[in-house]
Amino acid sequence: MQRRHVSFTVADRDRTVVEATRPGAQVLSQSDTEWTRTALIRDPQGAEFTASQFTPRSG
């Protein structure tokens, strides 16, 4: 079986993590770079996805 990975652009990575974990999702990893804040999340059925927040430099 071929696995596919989906990425969603979100307005607020941290809020998305909180909302995803309420019904039982698991946060597998989080990372912050100069341009993005991401979280790899596994839902209760086992599907994994990335929530990505664009964070451009200010100024």
Side-chain angles (χ1 to χ4, degrees):
M1 178 167 100
Q2 182 179 1
R3 289 189 163 228
R4 296 176 190 226
H5 188 85
V6 177
S7 293
F8 295 99
T9 300
V10 298
D12 184 330
R13 191 254 339 246
D14 294 336
R15 181 174 174 191
T16 300
V17 164
V18 169
E19 294 296 325
T21 56
R22 279 190 188 146
Q26 179 182 12
V27 178
L28 303 177
S29 66
Q30 294 184 49
S31 69
D32 294 1
T33 70
E34 184 176 354
W35 296 98
T36 61
R37 301 180 76 217
T38 63
L40 177 61
I41 300 170
R42 179 181 296 135
D43 74 15
Q45 290 74 39
E48 294 180 7
F49 65 94
T50 297
S52 180
Q53 175 185 349
F54 179 57
T55 55
R57 292 187 278 178
S58 54

